[in-house]
Amino acid sequence: MKKHFKKLAAASLAFTAALALTFPSYAAGWVQSPQGWWWSDEVNGSPVSCWRWLDGNGDGWAECYYFDHYGYMAENTTTPDGYQVDASGAWVVDGVVQTVYQDPSAQDQEEEPEEVWVDTTEENPSYRFFETDHYSQGTNKTLNLSDGSTKFWSSYLCLTGYDGFIKMDVKTRNKFRPETLVANVYSTNGTLTIYGDDDEELESFEFDYEDSIREIAVDVSDQSSITIKTSSGPHYMYFQYLKLEGQERYQ
């Protein structure tokens, strides 16, 4: 590996200089979800739309990986900027994995940065949506309640039918670590179910005309992605808002 790296050093110098040589000195590692592999980094946030040098197996040699706009590792493909990665996701030149040496003993001697986490809310996490069906957005909705009163929502999200769903990632991003999904939901009939990784059911909520508006809160702190799914038949399920409550890191 060292021999190959020395031979290719001159050819890859310009590319290597453009990449940030980032070597975590804290607990971090690979996580596999149904959508693919991603790098868990609770201090700096998981890499998104970028390259990252990572020593995932702790052998002192870091490989370079590209992560897409959802935070998942590219594999066995050409990246958007024209470089090749192999089946393991590592950057290759002429079939040879490119590496950079990182002294494990020096890494162990580094002190972990002091962390300060502050409670905060991601008000509009729609950029985390990576798949939807029977889904729409709208404005100016008047809701008729069972007691004869009405509620007016200036904006809303909507899921319809038995197959309406939103799939979204809940990984740490931009130094924000999601912990709870919060939503205000209206429906006159049907069931709203929240699924986590591996289609694990996290919580389920039943709606009827007498109890048509509910604020829900679901713990998502141990998940990498969730699915919000309705089974309301011909009825609509409206969301006044979808929020993620959690913590943001300051240092």
Side-chain angles (χ1 to χ4, degrees):
M1 180 67 71
K2 295 180 183 177
K3 182 178 179 181
H4 287 303
F5 177 68
K6 289 178 180 178
K7 287 183 177 179
L8 290 165
S12 60
L13 180 59
F15 176 76
T16 304
L19 298 172
L21 299 180
T22 306
F23 303 110
S25 59
Y26 36 79
W30 290 105
V31 178
Q32 186 177 28
S33 71
Q35 289 74 42
W37 288 94
W38 58 282
W39 183 259
S40 175
D41 185 343
E42 292 191 351
V43 174
N44 293 313
S46 300
V48 176
S49 296
C50 66
W51 289 88
R52 181 77 67 88
W53 288 96
L54 300 170
D55 179 13
N57 59 6
D59 65 354
W61 288 89
E63 293 78 30
C64 198
Y65 301 89
Y66 181 79
F67 296 87
D68 66 17
H69 59 291
Y70 294 122
Y72 293 104
M73 180 195 77
E75 54 184 281
N76 202 28
T77 189
T78 301
T79 63
D81 49 357
Y83 295 92
Q84 298 293 316
V85 292
D86 66 11
S88 70
W91 169 42
V92 293
V93 175
D94 296 330
V96 179
V97 175
Q98 305 300 289
T99 59
V100 172
Y101 183 67
Q102 174 191 8
D103 185 353
S105 61
Q107 175 183 334
D108 293 340
Q109 293 171 7
E110 294 180 6
E111 295 183 1
E112 293 188 5
E114 182 181 354
E115 298 179 21
V116 178
W117 292 86
V118 178
D119 291 340
T120 188
T121 300
E122 204 169 68
E123 298 286 346
N124 182 20
S126 59
Y127 76 98
R128 294 175 175 269
F129 298 177
F130 60 86
E131 187 178 354
T132 61
D133 195 14
H134 289 74
Y135 163 79
S136 62
Q137 301 181 46
T139 58
N140 302 328
K141 180 68 179 177
T142 300
L143 308 175
N144 298 310
L145 307 184
S146 59
D147 61 3
S149 65
T150 61
K151 288 283 187 181
F152 177 77
W153 288 354
S154 59
S155 61
Y156 63 88
L157 310 178
C158 181
L159 292 175
T160 61
Y162 290 106
D163 300 318
F165 67 80
I166 299 170
K167 293 185 178 182
M168 61 186 294
D169 84 68
V170 288
K171 301 188 295 293
T172 299
R173 284 194 181 197
N174 302 323
K175 301 182 180 180
F176 174 74
R177 180 171 60 198
E179 294 180 344
T180 306
L181 172 73
V182 179
N184 203 33
V185 189
Y186 170 87
S187 183
T188 58
N189 184 45
T191 303
L192 178 67
T193 306
I194 314 299
Y195 298 93
D197 295 331
D198 301 319
D199 293 326
E200 174 192 3
E201 183 177 315
L202 302 180
E203 283 201 53
S204 187
F205 305 89
E206 298 287 340
F207 288 82
D208 57 39
Y209 191 55
E210 297 298 323
D211 186 22
S212 55
I213 294 184
R214 298 177 64 180
E215 184 172 58
I216 66 171
V218 180
D219 181 5
V220 298
S221 57
D222 295 327
Q223 311 300 318
S224 63
S225 64
I226 60 172
T227 301
I228 304 165
K229 189 176 189 303
T230 179
S231 56
S232 56
H235 299 273
Y236 295 87
M237 191 165 286
Y238 299 97
F239 299 78
Q240 183 183 19
Y241 54 77
L242 275 174
K243 302 178 182 178
L244 286 173
E245 295 180 348
Q247 294 186 323
E248 186 172 4
R249 184 181 69 86
Y250 291 87
Q251 187 176 330

